[in-house]
Amino acid sequence: MPERTAEIELRLLLEAIFLKYDYDFREYSLASLRRRVQQALRQLECASISELQARVLHDPAGFMQLLQYLTIPVSEMFRDPEYFRGLRQHVIPLLRTYPSLKIWVAGCSTGEEAYSMAILLREEGLLERSMIYATDINPLSLERARKGIYPLTQISGFTRNYQAAGGASTFSDYYTAAYDGALFDKSLRDHLTFADHSLATDSVFAETQLISCRNVLIYFNKQLQNRALGLFHESLCHRGFLGLGSKESLNFSSYGKQFETLLRDEKVFRKL
């Protein structure tokens, strides 16, 4: 199929999804979406994007299947341990000055980063006065996050990350193993609120002291990146903190001059 025709089909699919389901992928990176849609075509046995479009328009279950490819629900606890070590050493001491804390984990996927944040705050004595808002657009991912159950096969990797991130306890203290899963402590979940929120269409919902949005902006085009950064800037209190993914940057964005770099390698910034 000619490349131009394929791009038209893809844009029509995204427009159809927006009009039918109010999920807005129209400002996501087309190159990234193209790869994910091609994978969905193979797995869902559709011969073309047009056929896929017809299916999702007439079958909500088919759309939910496609959504799992469009949102990449993949994460791990204490991913990029140096990021969490940087938070522990350089951000937590400053967060102690607030009487209460609101933290936003944007694009939380299946919840691993939110639980990692809760564990970090617990070890630093801040969890009891904290609320972590963890948001995503994928309802299946959010439901898994709320349950706080992860496969035991992933725990050894989570444990290595936790230790490399400067964990102050034993990782097994935070979960109960049963059958093939690990259930994370309810006392962590009590400080987590999982909610549907789209960086493409929704507005700010709370004033926060720290926002962690990692490996999300890389899937947005420049316009949508600026929209998301605008939401973060609006949500953060004066001198609040923003953490991004290892391949993400504020350079060349509309908000680059409204933050200062706190930790360059770990991609932690502070609102001016």
Side-chain angles (χ1 to χ4, degrees), residues 236-257:
L236 283 170
C237 67
H238 178 63
R239 304 296 285 156
F241 301 91
L242 172 64
L244 299 179
S246 59
K247 296 180 181 179
E248 296 167 335
S249 173
L250 292 176
N251 295 338
F252 311 113
S253 77
S254 299
Y255 291 87
K257 294 183 179 179

Side-chain angles (χ1 to χ4, degrees), residues 48-182:
S48 67
I49 297 176
S50 294
E51 182 180 335
L52 178 61
Q53 177 182 318
R55 179 183 296 189
V56 301
L57 277 176
H58 299 286
D59 179 12
F63 168 67
M64 195 55 59
Q65 287 180 297
L66 175 60
L67 186 62
Q68 306 316 304
Y69 294 95
L70 297 182
T71 55
I72 315 182
V74 175
S75 187
E76 60 186 70
M77 287 195 179
F78 293 94
R79 182 178 183 179
D80 301 322
E82 61 278 4
Y83 171 77
F84 288 94
R85 192 166 56 245
L87 293 182
R88 188 188 293 270
Q89 295 173 352
H90 300 282
V91 175
I92 291 294
L94 298 169
L95 293 180
R96 292 187 195 283
T97 63
Y98 295 96
S100 63
L101 292 171
K102 291 181 179 178
I103 294 166
W104 180 10
V105 178
C108 71
S109 187
T110 46
E112 288 88 339
E113 177 146 337
Y115 285 99
S116 301
M117 193 72 70
I119 290 170
L120 173 60
L121 293 170
R122 164 69 55 79
E123 293 186 350
E124 296 298 325
L126 295 178
L127 185 60
E128 292 306 312
R129 53 184 161 119
S130 299
M131 178 54 68
I132 301 170
Y133 299 98
T135 63
D136 202 87
I137 63 171
N138 188 326
L140 295 183
S141 294
L142 288 170
E143 183 58 31
R144 181 178 170 192
R146 290 188 187 99
K147 292 178 179 177
I149 301 173
Y150 299 98
L152 279 178
T153 54
Q154 296 181 324
I155 295 300
S156 61
F158 293 171
T159 301
R160 287 192 296 272
N161 286 349
Y162 166 77
Q163 293 168 342
S169 185
T170 301
F171 191 62
S172 58
D173 291 344
Y174 297 109
Y175 66 86
T176 301
Y179 302 102
D180 295 326

